[in-house]
């Protein structure tokens, strides 16, 4: 009986863990779709254009990747330099750098 309870608990834990990954993937996909729709509608810059503006300023840093907030229309580009994470927030509509957090 105890063996069945342990196996049931492991099964439920594994099932819940597996469900979390698709939720994050769906959220990321929705962010990408929102960014693309806004860019196509002429309401924003492409990620490539934003990266072309920011990456040269961050020489010596390793680029970790972007996140996009569709509600605020802000890209957050993440970098690491000498063990410190750096966030650069960029207005998705204009491409203007809003802030840099070290």
């Amino acid at each position: 009986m105890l063996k069945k309870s342990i196996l049931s608990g492991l099964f439920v834990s594994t099932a819940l863990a597996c469900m979390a990954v698709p939720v994050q993937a769906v959220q990321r996909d929705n962010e990408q779709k929102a960014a693309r729709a806004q860019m196509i509608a002429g309401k924003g810059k492409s990620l490539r254009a934003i990266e072309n503006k920011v990456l040269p300023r961050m020489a010596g840093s390793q680029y970790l990747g972007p996140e996009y907030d569709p509600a605020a229309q802000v890209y957050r580009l993440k970098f690491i330099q000498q063990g410190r994470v750096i966030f650069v927030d960029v207005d998705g509509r204009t491409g203007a750098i809003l802030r840099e957090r070290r």
Side-chain angles (χ1 to χ4, degrees):
M1 185 72 159
L2 181 58
K3 200 175 204 180
K4 281 187 177 182
S5 294
I6 292 171
L7 288 175
S8 294
L10 287 173
F11 176 75
V12 169
S13 297
T14 303
L16 289 174
C18 290
M19 290 172 54
V21 173
V23 170
Q24 291 172 345
V26 168
Q27 183 179 5
R28 170 90 56 206
D29 188 48
N30 289 341
E31 290 172 0
Q32 291 173 348
K33 286 180 182 176
R36 181 168 173 73
Q38 289 169 351
M39 185 193 67
I40 290 172
K43 297 179 182 176
K45 301 281 185 184
S46 71
L47 175 58
R48 174 113 28 223
I50 289 171
E51 288 174 336
N52 286 341
K53 181 177 183 177
V54 175
L55 292 177
R57 294 183 49 169
M58 301 303 293
S61 299
Q62 179 183 355
Y63 182 45
L64 300 175
E67 284 185 9
Y68 182 69
D69 180 351
Q73 293 183 334
V74 172
Y75 284 94
R76 172 166 280 177
L77 305 183
K78 295 180 280 186
F79 300 86
I80 191 164
Q81 183 178 35
Q82 298 176 349
R84 299 189 79 194
V85 177
I86 303 165
F87 298 107
V88 179
D89 295 339
V90 182
D91 186 319
R93 294 171 293 246
T94 65
I97 295 172
L98 302 173
R99 67 190 142 274
E100 184 177 317
R101 296 184 192 155
R102 292 183 181 256

